[in-house]
Amino acid sequence: MGRYFFSGVITTLTGGAFPYGTMFVNITGCLVIGFFATLTGPDSRLLVGTPARQFVMVGICGGYTTFSSFSLETFYLMRAGEWMPAALNAAGSLLLCMLSVWLGFMAATALNRGV
């Protein structure tokens, strides 16, 4: 519901010519997951149990935007000095997801035409 609300508000404010609403949701979701993961990690100030961390990071942030999970995982790879896996994850996700959207679009278009 949060994703729908904030995306709608931003789209209304900007006119909807560019997906600023989606970008806003992705950016704010990444901010929240990065902050919460760092604040509640094993070596941080606020000790939070695994179920609570998973609820916030997977449940809330993941429900708000899965881009936050993708970004956090890519960041962790970069932080660990795993530059090639990080680049492959980023580029591979973008390219393969765009390809998947196109394939889904083509399959549904064919079904809509009765092919």
Side-chain angles (χ1 to χ4, degrees), residues 3-112:
R3 172 178 37 200
Y4 177 78
F5 173 77
F6 287 117
S7 182
V9 167
I10 299 298
T11 299
T12 300
L13 291 173
T14 61
F18 182 85
Y20 289 111
T22 300
M23 184 181 284
F24 175 83
V25 167
N26 288 337
I27 291 168
T28 56
C30 290
L31 175 69
V32 170
I33 202 170
F35 180 81
F36 190 79
T38 304
L39 185 67
T40 63
D43 57 344
S44 59
R45 297 180 151 238
L46 184 61
L47 184 60
V48 174
T50 300
R53 281 182 54 118
Q54 289 175 338
F55 174 75
V56 172
M57 293 169 62
V58 176
I60 294 175
C61 290
Y64 184 61
T65 171
T66 56
F67 195 76
S68 60
S69 298
F70 156 77
S71 298
L72 182 65
E73 291 166 352
T74 304
F75 173 76
Y76 281 160
L77 287 169
M78 292 168 54
R79 186 171 170 218
E82 299 289 336
W83 294 100
M84 187 56 71
L88 288 173
N89 187 43
S93 292
L94 177 63
L95 294 173
L96 293 173
C97 287
M98 292 304 298
L99 176 63
S100 295
V101 167
W102 178 78
L103 288 171
F105 174 84
M106 296 304 290
T109 299
L111 284 174
N112 284 337

